Amino acid sequence: MKKKSLLLVLFVVAFFAQHSFAQELYTPRNIKEAYSKGSRSKDGKPGKKYWQNHGKYDMEITVNPDTKMVSGTESIVYENNSKDTLKTIVIRFVNNLHKPTSPRGGEVSADFLSEGLMITSFKINGEVYNENAKNWGTVGTIKLKNPLLPNTKATLDIDWNYPLSKESGREGQIDNTTFFVAYSYPRVSVYDDYNGWDKLPHTDRQEFYNDFNDYTFSIKAPKNYVVYATGDLRNPDDVLQAEFSARLKKSYTSDAVMHIANELEMKEGKVTLQNDWNTWKFEANAISDVCFGLSNHYVWDAGSVVVDNKTNRRVSTQAAYDVKGTDFINSVKNNNYALAWFSNNWPGVPYPFSKMTAFQGFADMEFPMMVNDSQTGDDVFAQLVQDHEIAHTYFPFYMGINETRYAFMDEGWATTLEYLIGIAEHGKEAADKFYKQFRVKKYIYDNSTEEDQPIISMSSQLSGAGYGNNSYGKASLSYLALKDLLGDDLFKKALHTYMENWNGKHPIPWDYFNSVNSSTGKNLNWFFNNWFFSNNYIDLAVAKVNSIASKNSISIKNEGGFAIPFDVNVVYADGTKETLHKTPTVWATNQKMTTVNLKGTKKIKSVTLDGGLFMDATPLDNSWTNK
């Protein structure tokens, strides 16, 4: 009986050791409903009944540098691939952020404000709708005269115009003859499987959520204005003088940085055809957005780089900048390095698009195939910013992430990739120093409540430090902690599985959690609960050191709660030293306390804990000295 009782006890202990942390993650009711309907799957993959809607956009856009007006005519063929009958259609126009009546997350100057969008014609399937958008914010709702049935299409024809804001942010006037034109067309908002219509207003803090659409668009601009845009330029010979068209085409196959047009050539009117107006035609398919910039005096550089060694596919790399924009002299070279590095290292997925352009503006902001970066006067920082924005290619543009609700799903990964490429560019010591100074220090030494909100909190409900840290630093630390826990090979497998599952689709946080669990064969819900669903922070302490003849051990208390990796640096009484690295796995069964056992019985002189990037809120209790 005693033997049977002992076996039973051992079985129970083993069972609970194995299953006690196979926790369920909090899952919102609408996400549970998506599982039950089969549009999402608990293995991290899209469900068998997954769907998403699609638009085919054909746009003719004109920019008038004199009036600073953008006007357009567009036709949208919108496919309702859902099982729902749509009685309304929601139109999103982000630039209405500039309207005085639109809600914003912060103060703006008078130069930021404008009248916003004016619709001069609006038709659906040929029927005229009496809509001028005067009462719209960044979102407007149209009641359909004829509901859009499942698996059918509707054609929207819209004529519109709006003024470019004098104060440039993510878009607007860069100078009197240079403009960055983004979020510049009315689009159908996302209708998805877990929230229906996306009606969250854009308030200038949280970012964007778009469907993957196909775009054919033209930009009409006066002579001597060069247009740089998302997508492939389809008619270089129709807008550029022969020599400059030839230079551009040559750059598509060149490893060298080429000067397509310099300051003098632009100034003398040698670059574009000398028609009063030129129409630049572009095309981009299966992409979440398009944007463009134009200037009559920017320097134009270009080159290209191989991003897929298996197919030798090249990407065009370009830069457009003011002659005083010293940060941008090396943009094409840095573009080439970043695209090749991201493609072959982390995330290790070939850059998916045909072009990447760095445009000198103000925002330090990513767009598909473009970045709008400011002049900083610091070459190293400028490269880091450009790396960060290019990294966004994968998150959110390769993956159709809902940045408005879950900014950590893209900003956290871009921050992680920024750090990893920084090691390759500047060495680990410099990359660590920058990451800690720029991404961790301000957060960890501020003990205010908003710093410790759960990362899973909706981004649209956060502000200030709560938004910034959840989106960038804390999220990135969670990804780096998981990398340490899994090791590089398994971490990359998990990352690739997640990306393959959701490339061109709309993942949510639970798809990430479930993809990692399925691909690794591990139930890491304990880890995800610890990092994403808690009010934890980073704070370890040496609780006790046992240095006795028969056993040496160190008890470590996790005051802050986050499951972080750390080093234990031991100095022995004889002067020898030892460093033991502990992965986050040590917190799997007890997230408040762990014990590190040392080999050998040498007397311990001192112990110091070092979290590296995981900076400690109270570093004074990370050390112990034998007195």
Side-chain angles (χ1 to χ4, degrees), residues 482-533:
L482 183 64
K483 181 173 180 288
D484 191 276
L485 185 155
L486 294 175
D488 282 2
D489 290 343
L490 190 55
F491 180 73
K492 182 168 282 189
K493 177 186 176 183
L495 179 58
H496 284 186
T497 299
Y498 167 52
M499 295 178 73
E500 289 164 8
N501 284 347
W502 292 96
N503 173 29
K505 300 179 176 67
H506 292 310
I508 53 177
W510 293 266
D511 299 320
Y512 162 65
F513 305 143
N514 292 332
S515 289
V516 172
N517 284 342
S518 295
S519 61
T520 62
K522 300 175 182 291
N523 190 323
L524 293 170
N525 284 354
W526 73 267
F527 178 86
F528 298 130
N529 263 321
N530 177 282
W531 270 98
F532 291 88
F533 297 85

Side-chain angles (χ1 to χ4, degrees), residues 228 254-257 300-307 314-321 327-344 351 354-360 365 367 369-373 379 382-391 393-394 421 425:
Y228 312 85
S254 173
D255 290 322
V257 177
W300 186 6
D301 295 344
S304 67
V305 63
V306 173
V307 296
R314 280 186 174 268
V315 168
S316 171
T317 51
Q318 302 183 32
Y321 57 98
D327 285 2
F328 295 83
I329 293 171
N330 293 317
S331 275
V332 170
K333 182 184 76 172
N334 292 341
N335 268 344
N336 288 347
Y337 182 87
L339 294 178
W341 196 92
F342 288 140
S343 297
N344 292 294
Y351 178 79
S354 59
K355 184 167 67 178
M356 172 54 71
T357 301
F359 190 91
Q360 182 181 346
M365 184 67 196
F367 304 85
M369 300 196 207
M370 295 192 78
V371 299
N372 171 10
D373 285 346
D379 291 346
Q383 183 179 19
L384 179 137
V385 171
Q386 185 169 297
D387 288 345
H388 179 98
E389 308 312 341
I390 291 174
T393 292
Y394 299 98
I421 195 175
E425 291 168 344

Side-chain angles (χ1 to χ4, degrees), residues 406-558:
Y406 305 116
F408 66 85
M409 293 183 70
D410 77 303
E411 294 293 0
W413 280 111
T415 300
T416 300
L417 295 174
E418 155 209 309
Y419 165 69
L420 294 173
I421 195 175
I423 296 173
E425 291 168 344
H426 307 295
K428 190 173 187 305
E429 183 179 353
D432 284 6
K433 181 179 179 181
F434 179 86
Y435 187 96
K436 289 193 284 188
Q437 184 70 28
F438 196 60
R439 300 300 189 187
V440 188
K441 187 175 181 180
K442 189 175 180 180
Y443 145 62
I444 203 60
Y445 293 148
D446 180 354
N447 58 8
S448 57
T449 305
E450 55 266 33
E451 298 287 5
D452 298 330
Q453 295 172 97
I455 297 175
I456 199 68
S457 303
M458 274 181 55
S459 302
S460 56
Q461 301 297 312
L462 299 173
S463 62
Y467 175 87
N469 290 321
N470 272 8
S471 303
Y472 293 83
K474 283 166 64 178
S476 175
L477 287 168
S478 82
Y479 302 137
L480 291 171
L482 183 64
K483 181 173 180 288
D484 191 276
L485 185 155
L486 294 175
D488 282 2
D489 290 343
L490 190 55
F491 180 73
K492 182 168 282 189
K493 177 186 176 183
L495 179 58
H496 284 186
T497 299
Y498 167 52
M499 295 178 73
E500 289 164 8
N501 284 347
W502 292 96
N503 173 29
K505 300 179 176 67
H506 292 310
I508 53 177
W510 293 266
D511 299 320
Y512 162 65
F513 305 143
N514 292 332
S515 289
V516 172
N517 284 342
S518 295
S519 61
T520 62
K522 300 175 182 291
N523 190 323
L524 293 170
N525 284 354
W526 73 267
F527 178 86
F528 298 130
N529 263 321
N530 177 282
W531 270 98
F532 291 88
F533 297 85
S534 75
N535 297 94
N536 289 338
Y537 59 101
I538 305 169
D539 188 8
L540 301 184
V542 179
K544 187 178 182 181
V545 175
N546 288 316
S547 182
I548 56 179
S550 61
K551 181 181 179 183
N552 281 337
S553 64
I554 303 163
S555 297
I556 299 166
K557 190 174 183 180
N558 193 344

Side-chain angles (χ1 to χ4, degrees), residues 12 37 46 212 383 496 569:
V12 170
K37 288 183 176 180
F212 288 88
Q383 183 179 19
H496 284 186
N569 297 311

Side-chain angles (χ1 to χ4, degrees), residues 224-258:
N224 299 326
Y225 277 82
V226 174
V227 178
Y228 312 85
T230 300
D232 298 317
L233 177 61
R234 292 305 190 194
N235 64 333
D237 296 333
D238 295 336
V239 292
L240 294 170
Q241 295 189 39
E243 180 180 355
F244 297 90
S245 179
R247 291 181 190 177
L248 179 62
K249 292 174 186 176
K250 185 178 180 181
S251 75
Y252 295 158
T253 57
S254 173
D255 290 322
V257 177
M258 301 178 61

